[in-house]
Amino acid sequence: MSTVTTHVLDTARGVPASGVPVRMDRLAPDGTVAPVARGVTDDDGRIRDLGPDDLDAGVYRLTFDTARYAADTGQENFFPEVSIAFRLDAIDGTVPHHHVPLLLSPFHYSTYKGS
């Protein structure tokens, strides 16, 4: 299983958001950004195999192409993309699995640390 997984729910329509392009980058302390992975949400709004099975501790960012999703579903959209930065910490030398969901509507979004 990927160290990081995600799930996008379209709260305006009450359905999983399928077809959302997502990229994951690593944000280094010196400000450089390194691409890690790319994926697209499946019919259940999930990306189960987004990135490597093992990641180093550090700060990462998921960026969701919400403009593309809105265009594909015929919705208005105030946010052309949503970026969520988060920190992965090692426990006993290993970075555990993290789930980073996105709840999306045309004029609002929220996220939380999932399980």
Side-chain angles (χ1 to χ4, degrees):
M1 175 189 296
S2 296
T3 301
V4 174
T5 57
T6 189
H7 187 195
V8 183
L9 296 172
D10 183 332
T11 59
R13 296 173 57 220
V15 297
S18 63
V20 179
V22 180
R23 76 174 187 272
M24 182 167 58
D25 300 310
R26 177 148 191 205
L27 309 178
D30 67 1
T32 59
V33 177
V36 174
R38 290 183 175 272
V40 178
T41 58
D42 63 16
D43 288 343
D44 194 33
R46 297 179 183 274
I47 301 179
R48 293 174 174 89
D49 58 352
L50 177 60
D53 291 346
D54 297 306
L55 289 173
D56 294 328
V59 177
Y60 293 83
R61 177 178 60 207
L62 291 177
T63 302
F64 301 82
D65 186 348
T66 52
R68 167 86 177 266
Y69 174 72
D72 289 348
T73 58
Q75 296 184 74
E76 288 187 70
N77 185 19
F78 183 70
F79 303 101
E81 68 177 25
V82 172
S83 293
I84 302 168
F86 53 94
R87 186 183 65 244
L88 298 180
D89 293 321
I91 299 172
D92 296 327
T94 303
V95 174
H97 171 259
H98 285 74
H99 186 65
V100 184
L102 174 65
L103 305 177
L104 182 63
S105 73
F107 303 104
H108 173 266
Y109 67 87
S110 64
T111 187
Y112 56 95
K113 181 181 177 185
S115 57

